[in-house]
Amino acid sequence: MIGAIRGTLRFGFEFIERPFERLFGAQLNPLAQLGALGFFFFWIVTVSGIYLFAFFDTGIERAFESVEYISREQWFHAGVMRSLHRYAADLMVVMITVHLLRQFAYDQYRGVRWFSWFTGLPMIWLLYGSGITGYWLVWDRLAQYVAIVSSELLDRLPIFGEPIARNFISTGTLTSRFFTLMVFMHIAVPLFLLFVMWVHILRISRPKVNPPRMLAAMTLLALIGVSLWKPALSQGHVDLTKAAVEVGLDWFYLPLYPLTDSWGRGGVWVFLGAFSLMIGLMPWLPPLRRARAAQVDLAHCNGCARCSEDCPYEAIRMVRRSDGLPFPTQAQDSASLCTSCGICVGSCPSSTPFRRSEELKTGIDLPDFDLKTLRERTIEAAKALSGPNRVLVFACDHGGGRGVVGAVHLPCVAMTPPSLLDYVLSRDLADGVAIAGCAESACFNRLGIVWTKQRIAAARDPYLRARVPRERIATVWASTLETRRVTAAIAAFVQRIAALPHKKLRSPQAASAAFVQPHTPPVSTEAGSAP
Amino acid sequence: MSYLRMAGQFVVIAALFAAVAAFSDAPVYRQTPRGSAIVMLTFVHSADRKADCRRLTPEEIQKLPPNMRRVTECPRGRRPIYVELDLGGRRVFQASLAPAGIAGDGPSKVYERFVVPAGNHDIAVRMRDTPRTEGFDHERRGTVTLSPDQMFVIDFRPENGDFVFR
């Protein structure tokens, strides 16, 4: 059941992400920047909130008037800030909702990723707490409605002695202290939200907390444009002698409020409890069965820290050397954080298939799919190739290449050490190598595509040697919906290498003497594009 | 990046934001039908204690620690309050309101709303907060004219010992 829902959602996301990726490119695609945009909107809300606070009056009589002054007389600065404050807060809800659905659709919430998923739950509560307390402060008709329904909901809980809602049904019961309390809440809850946002990304290496500048600039400009087009306005002064029965609801923050009329307050609480329980338990429904965690082999680890640098999940840290070898540090893998993606295997300089040791070993390896097995599968796959233009495919299990017959399938294409590409071409196992990974803006293991690109471009350790002809290496990044594109890209690549002169690779010994500078400009390797 | 592509990106972002802005205060939600008013029955009131205070005997007082000696002993628990509300001669609410608190020593409370058509309404509210089983300790009747969307509150002020219409 859950798998079917996930599959349907994934289909939907992959369907809409492709046009987004075409228009925005992988870097600026908003769907790949949801978390970063969430942070960005938080900062917009914070800055605009501080600005508005300078004009806001917490007096019971003055609160509404001060907001009106902001919106009407000072519309060109404070009014715009109010709209930014409102719409950025609404967009945070949108970003969090889509982010949550996307993580679920791509199955990026189970296993060791449970922590980020689980800490997202209090973020939802705190975000709604922040928004709802903000609506009280305006003290207009909507605030009256929000105040009454919120307090009726709270009164349903067996916590308060007297019904809080009684404070909002007649005049003379509220004082200015109430607004001071609400201002305090409206500042304290977001601060706590920020703290939980920090906890949320603790277990992620290189979290995206800032969108690319171009996307941020366009977002801010668009938000200002929308604020001028449709300024956020109040809905008339509170009148406690009249029921606030007709209000323009913010459907992002208050969608459950109308349900109190049909479900009752208890029904809404049951729904909220069930929703929270379901979200909290989802990482274990069912638990993810994954391969065993990576293991460090100290005999082959020189403490270079490349695995630690490349791990997308902070699963590897460098610790003091424990085996007496003359290196200051050694890698230490945490099984509770490791997703067995194999990126560390691809990053280890010891992961070279050219090694002549009797049994191929490397500094860090996957027990269930080690480097030796990878080399064997590569050789086996190459043996099955025939014809004049043989292309060996390394395919990610989560991308469009996962159905390619005869490919070497990997949990992540970044598990492929660059030296393995060299090995395939220099040992004449194939005439070209194609790497088929996930869609560029939806890398299952977060950084696998980036690291693969940089290694091939000799911009990141371990480099692909300069002697390896880049025109014989192609990359194609595609979602699982784009299997045809992968097939077409590989076919086009076969055609391209047919036009290339016969390859001549120097021996590894000669090549090492001619090793080039690390920042050699990368050759365009995107399959389907002009070489 | 071409300017045309940038313009396309901006248009998509702005359109998404405009949709979000549109849903930030629309569509309008109406809680009650047009032409209706709300009668709210709400009060917080403590009924009499379950039993009368009892005068302790000298022996009982003697047994108490010196710093806790008192003349009378009063049970904590309070009685439930019985309330009835009639609107237009029809019984719309009757309940026995239990006292709050684990020990049942807190006040009884009620917070109920009734949506009625705007116009004239005969209202009668009655309460029993003593050990009596027949009749009522507090009662108020009246005819009120409610305007559309009006919030008419029926409260009880213990200091006056009577219901308040406002």
Side-chain angles (χ1 to χ4, degrees), chain A residues 22 152 161 243 245 247 261, chain B residues 5 29 31 109 111 113 149:
Chain A
R22 275 194 186 160
E152 284 175 351
V245 290
V247 284
D261 295 325
Chain B
R5 194 177 183 196
Y29 174 68
Q31 198 177 21
K109 54 193 175 185
Y111 183 91
R113 78 169 75 191
D149 297 345

Side-chain angles (χ1 to χ4, degrees), chain B residues 37-112:
Chain B
I38 293 177
V39 174
M40 176 80 77
L41 171 65
T42 177
F43 60 80
V44 178
H45 174 54
S46 297
D48 282 354
R49 296 178 191 278
K50 272 185 175 172
D52 291 336
C53 294
R54 183 176 66 85
R55 194 171 185 86
L56 296 177
T57 62
E59 293 74 26
E60 286 174 324
I61 295 172
Q62 197 62 37
K63 282 181 187 172
L64 291 172
N67 62 329
M68 296 178 71
R69 283 179 186 163
R70 57 192 185 278
V71 181
T72 57
E73 182 184 65
C74 298
R76 289 180 64 183
R78 292 186 179 273
R79 299 175 189 283
I81 289 176
Y82 179 73
V83 187
E84 288 178 0
L85 174 66
D86 295 348
L87 288 176
R90 191 167 62 88
R91 180 72 38 85
V92 293
F93 183 75
Q94 65 177 49
S96 178
L97 309 172
I102 297 169
D105 57 346
S108 300
K109 54 193 175 185
V110 62
Y111 183 91
E112 294 289 336

Side-chain angles (χ1 to χ4, degrees), chain A residues 463-528:
Chain A
Y463 311 130
L464 179 64
R465 282 175 166 173
R467 73 189 190 115
V468 179
R470 299 313 200 258
E471 64 275 18
R472 290 186 179 275
I473 295 175
T475 54
V476 53
W477 314 115
S479 71
T480 53
L481 289 186
E482 299 174 293
T483 49
R484 281 187 189 173
R485 194 167 77 85
V486 174
T487 312
I490 293 171
F493 179 52
V494 169
Q495 295 296 314
R496 283 212 309 278
I497 57 175
L500 296 175
H502 183 71
K503 68 175 187 290
K504 282 182 183 173
L505 264 70
R506 286 164 288 178
S507 69
Q509 289 80 6
S512 62
F515 190 71
V516 294
Q517 293 298 313
H519 293 292
T520 309
V523 177
S524 171
T525 55
E526 180 64 28

Side-chain angles (χ1 to χ4, degrees), chain A residues 185-363:
Chain A
M185 293 283 285
H186 193 52
I187 294 170
V189 178
L191 276 176
F192 201 58
L193 170 63
L194 180 62
F195 171 72
V196 179
M197 285 162 72
W198 171 71
V199 173
H200 181 64
I201 56 171
L202 265 183
R203 286 194 176 185
I204 301 172
S205 171
R206 294 177 173 80
K208 283 192 277 191
V209 291
N210 293 310
R213 283 184 185 175
M214 179 60 80
L215 182 62
M218 282 195 287
T219 299
L220 188 57
L221 273 177
L223 206 50
I224 292 171
V226 169
S227 299
L228 290 168
W229 166 67
K230 188 178 180 300
L233 296 172
S234 303
Q235 299 184 25
H237 197 292
V238 159
D239 181 359
L240 296 181
T241 62
K242 288 215 160 216
V245 290
E246 189 170 286
V247 284
L249 279 191
D250 183 332
W251 292 95
F252 297 98
Y253 276 96
L254 309 167
L256 296 183
Y257 277 45
L259 292 177
T260 54
D261 295 325
S262 47
W263 293 0
R265 296 151 212 158
V268 170
W269 278 118
V270 168
F271 172 79
L272 287 172
F275 172 78
S276 301
L277 189 68
M278 185 192 71
I279 293 285
L281 292 177
M282 270 177 68
W284 298 277
L285 295 175
L288 184 71
R289 282 187 295 178
R290 63 167 177 83
R292 282 180 289 167
Q295 288 177 0
V296 177
D297 185 347
L298 285 183
H300 297 84
C301 173
N302 65 4
C304 69
R306 286 171 192 163
C307 54
S308 174
E309 284 285 313
D310 283 8
C311 177
Y313 307 104
E314 297 276 1
I316 304 167
R317 61 194 186 105
M318 304 310 294
V319 297
R320 186 189 288 269
R321 199 79 198 183
S322 64
D323 59 355
L325 286 179
F327 305 109
T329 57
Q330 66 184 49
Q332 187 180 63
D333 183 67
S334 168
S336 63
L337 299 175
C338 178
T339 64
S340 317
C341 65
I343 287 178
C344 52
V345 181
S347 73
C348 183
S350 300
S351 295
T352 165
F354 291 105
R355 296 179 89 182
R356 294 196 175 89
S357 56
E358 200 160 287
E359 190 176 5
L360 180 58
K361 286 198 169 182
T362 183

Side-chain angles (χ1 to χ4, degrees), chain A residues 117-161:
Chain A
W117 177 271
F118 196 79
T119 51
L121 179 59
M123 278 175 58
I124 297 173
W125 279 91
L126 290 166
L127 178 63
Y128 274 82
S130 307
I132 289 167
T133 52
Y135 274 114
W136 289 37
L137 292 177
V138 181
W139 207 227
D140 61 352
R141 298 286 287 166
L142 178 60
Q144 183 181 347
Y145 173 78
V146 171
I148 289 176
V149 179
S150 303
S151 43
E152 284 175 351
L153 278 168
L154 290 172
D155 287 336
R156 187 69 179 76
L157 302 175
I159 299 173
F160 303 100

